[in-house]
Amino acid sequence: MQVITDPAALGPYFGGVFVPTMGALHAGHARLVECARDLPARREAPIVVSVFVNPTQFNDPADLARYPRTLEADVEVCRRAGAEVVFAPGISAVYPQGSTSPPRDLPAVATEPQLEDAHRPGHFAGVCQVVRRLFELVRPRAAVFGEKDWQQLQVIRAMSEQEDLGVEIVPVPTVREHDGLAMSSRNIFLSPDARSRAAAISGALCEAGAARTVPAAQARMREILLAAGLVVEYAVVREPRTLMPLPADATHGRALIAAQVRSGAGMVRLIDNAEWRVSPES
Ligand code: AMP
């Protein structure tokens, strides 16, 4: 497996399957690489994993400063999962000085739902900028993204369609810890107490399945999160693609949660989501 920092060395790997990450890789990221490896459309194309902590998508400088950086271990995860290349560029390779790409309109799902877009202003502008730029450098035929970041997945799908980027976007289901907590690079910031309270997030998503209306599902999720002492940013059921509100009597949607958990002296922000469907009455 190759570790590449200079984009000029990527030429032999054009047309591959791309897995963009910010490093601090865990079993969720490894699953993305394994899914890339097993894609029927892959036909022996190389798998390229990027490790790049993109400053333009952080709305909080403290969050950027403390984001874990573990390149050596990341390379090992990629090697074991079956990647051909780890692309770990420096900031100047991704954003050369003086290069200004023209501003583009973000898709509606990046600005209208009032979910991550409202709670992390500027985040999706940074995500779209880096994904567009990495696609330009890596020139993949397909790119794999986790459902863990559901709104991000919809934003990237919409951007690829809107800008006709010619890259197939492949979603991969969320990988979880044994108690249901979604794996995340930020979980290392959880104290043992915060870690056990954080399990309420996936618990709330599960429990929401028992509710028969959208408002009841939302209320139930909020109740569970508050009972665990979490600070709720949102706990909603939305239309899965547009992420806009649903009528109260909708029977299917995506349940999405963002909550903060106190850990030691600070707060750790976690997000998760799951399919929501009213089960037929027995
Ligand atoms: P990140 O390094 O956090 O930017 O994530 C890189 C990719 O890994 C994104 O497509 C995420 O959605 C995906 N990802 C992160 N955590 C998980 C998880 N627990 N299960 C599946 N995919 C994940």
Side-chain angles (χ1 to χ4, degrees):
M1 195 188 68
Q2 290 256 30
V3 179
I4 291 177
T5 54
D6 179 0
L10 285 170
Y13 305 101
F14 287 167
V17 181
F18 181 38
V19 184
T21 82
M22 296 205 299
L25 302 186
H26 49 66
H29 298 108
R31 179 74 57 80
L32 300 188
V33 177
E34 289 155 9
C35 287
R37 205 178 54 197
D38 297 339
L39 273 186
R42 180 184 162 216
R43 289 191 293 273
E44 302 308 309
I47 295 168
V48 179
V49 181
S50 65
V51 174
F52 177 65
V53 182
N54 174 38
T56 72
Q57 73 189 68
F58 284 81
N59 50 316
D60 174 2
D63 189 25
L64 172 62
R66 73 169 181 169
Y67 201 84
R69 287 156 171 90
T70 59
L71 184 59
E72 222 174 288
D74 294 345
V75 168
E76 190 50 27
V77 171
C78 293
R79 196 185 57 73
R80 283 214 206 124
E84 271 75 30
V85 177
V86 172
F87 175 46
I91 182 95
S92 58
V94 179
Y95 302 121
Q97 274 208 332
S99 77
T100 49
S101 37
R104 314 221 192 163
D105 288 340
L106 291 176
V109 66
T111 58
E112 288 180 7
Q114 302 296 293
L115 301 174
E116 291 303 287
D117 48 313
H119 290 272
R120 303 188 67 189
H123 172 63
F124 287 129
V127 167
C128 287
Q129 179 188 30
V130 77
V131 168
R132 201 185 284 121
R133 178 67 180 138
L134 289 171
F135 281 6
E136 228 170 68
L137 295 174
V138 175
R139 299 204 207 163
R141 75 166 63 160
V144 180
F145 291 87
E147 291 184 353
K148 155 83 171 34
D149 299 279
W150 185 265
Q151 190 175 2
Q152 168 176 282
L153 172 63
Q154 307 315 320
V155 167
I156 289 163
R157 271 181 170 155
M159 175 184 78
S160 304
E161 278 169 29
Q162 194 170 294
E163 299 179 19
D164 202 11
L165 298 180
V167 178
E168 182 195 352
I169 306 300
V170 180
V172 173
T174 302
V175 178
R176 299 175 178 282
E177 303 284 0
H178 64 279
D179 62 353
L181 179 70
M183 289 191 177
S184 163
S185 306
R186 290 187 167 87
N187 291 354
I188 60 161
F189 299 128
L190 296 170
S191 65
D193 170 59
R195 169 69 189 75
S196 64
R197 281 180 297 120
I201 298 175
S202 57
L205 291 169
C206 257
E207 284 269 324
R212 307 209 60 82
T213 66
V214 168
Q218 296 183 157
R220 185 71 188 122
M221 289 193 289
R222 186 168 288 271
E223 188 181 28
I224 291 166
L225 297 168
L226 293 176
L230 306 194
V231 176
V232 182
E233 290 187 4
Y234 56 80
V236 293
V237 177
R238 293 291 180 89
E239 200 289 319
R241 285 247 172 182
T242 64
L243 295 183
M244 296 307 278
L246 285 167
D249 62 352
T251 57
H252 171 238
R254 197 81 193 176
L256 303 113
I257 290 175
Q260 294 182 32
V261 50
R262 178 163 296 286
S263 182
M267 302 296 284
V268 179
R269 182 177 192 276
L270 299 172
I271 59 170
D272 199 354
N273 68 88
E275 186 183 14
W276 180 80
R277 197 177 280 283
V278 173
S279 50
E281 285 197 81
S282 48

